[in-house]
Structures are given as C-alpha cells and as structure tokens.
Amino acid sequence: MSITRTIAATGALTALAVGAATALGTTASAAPNVTPQSVCGSAYKTVNSAAVGSLGTVYLTYNSSNGKNCVTTIRSNPGTAKNMSAWIYVPDTDVWAEDYGNYTSYAGPSYAYGKGHCVSWGAHIDNVYVSVENSNCASLKESRVTEVR
C-alpha cells in the first residue's frame, strides 16, 4: 500500500490511512532481487543513496523524461515485516510524498516532481532513521543525519 500525499492533505486522512495500513499489517511483496528500478520504474536512474544502518539502503532516483524523483527503501535481509518508510520533500514547491507501513522487503515508491529543485529525502527501518537534506542541487552541500531512536 502506498500512501502519497502533499503537505496540503489533511492530517485526519493521513492518520486514518497510516492506522489502517498498520492495523492490517500491510506488506510489500518480497521479490528475490528488489532494485530501485523494480520499485520506481525502469526509467528511474539512481542518483543518490544512503545506508539505513546495516538494515538496508534508501535510494533517490530520477526520471529525466518526466522530471520526477522517486524514493524507495530496500532491506538488506528481507523477512518478517518491519516498520519502514521512504519519503521525499521538495522545499521550493512544498510537495511531500511518503510510504509508511510494515513491509517484508521494501517501502515505496514515493514520487515528487523535482526537476530544477533541491530535494530532501530519507527513510527508516525499525528504529534507525536517515535523512538527507538539500540533496542533488548543484554546488550546495547536502546534510546527512543517521540516528537510532
């Protein structure tokens, strides 16, 4: 189940959707070789990534034909469903998209139009969180934070 929304979406709808996904134990299908392209689409090329501790990797991909970015989080060792997320935020346009739930192998895809804009993106698996702020915007230096909560 993919939950995608903009900042303008109501909090009540978000809480309802996330609660339903958690209550139902939503899981993504565990494919033998999950890649960012198998989750986001073959036209999406990986432009950045960050380790989510030793639990997996979050990938930022980009499709030059439509100007969209996609974020997906892929576990290192698929198995029992774990609480996971994949999110992207475009500060210039105030657009936000995320996928959040209990998954066996990956979270996402989360899409946002990012052509010509800096993007912030990240993920979590269990209690390990990673965020990358102001990414992929030419000469500006990105900021990466990984924390265990």
Side-chain angles (χ1 to χ4, degrees):
M1 175 177 178
S2 179
I3 302 170
T4 304
R5 66 177 191 266
T6 64
I7 292 293
T10 64
L13 180 59
T14 300
L16 179 62
V18 170
T22 302
L24 295 173
T26 304
T27 58
S29 301
N33 293 310
V34 178
T35 66
Q37 289 68 36
S38 68
V39 177
C40 293
S42 61
Y44 285 82
K45 305 303 177 209
T46 300
V47 294
N48 212 330
S49 65
V52 184
S54 62
L55 301 175
T57 304
V58 57
Y59 296 91
L60 174 68
T61 64
Y62 181 71
N63 181 333
S64 60
S65 67
N66 66 13
K68 288 186 178 181
N69 286 101
C70 175
V71 175
T72 184
T73 307
I74 300 174
R75 286 176 49 183
S76 300
N77 296 302
T80 304
K82 293 183 183 282
N83 191 272
M84 299 174 61
S85 66
W87 61 268
I88 185 168
Y89 176 64
V90 184
D92 289 348
T93 61
D94 206 28
V95 171
W96 170 275
E98 100 178 313
D99 182 35
Y100 180 96
N102 294 308
Y103 300 114
T104 58
S105 60
Y106 66 90
S110 296
Y111 297 97
Y113 183 83
K115 184 175 183 177
H117 300 285
C118 297
V119 295
S120 296
W121 50 281
H124 88 278
I125 301 173
D126 275 346
N127 64 339
V128 180
Y129 292 75
V130 63
S131 65
V132 181
E133 307 296 327
N134 295 316
S135 175
N136 295 65
C137 43
S139 62
L140 292 178
K141 178 143 176 64
E142 69 184 22
S143 170
R144 290 181 181 232
V145 176
T146 301
E147 63 182 333
V148 177
R149 297 183 190 167

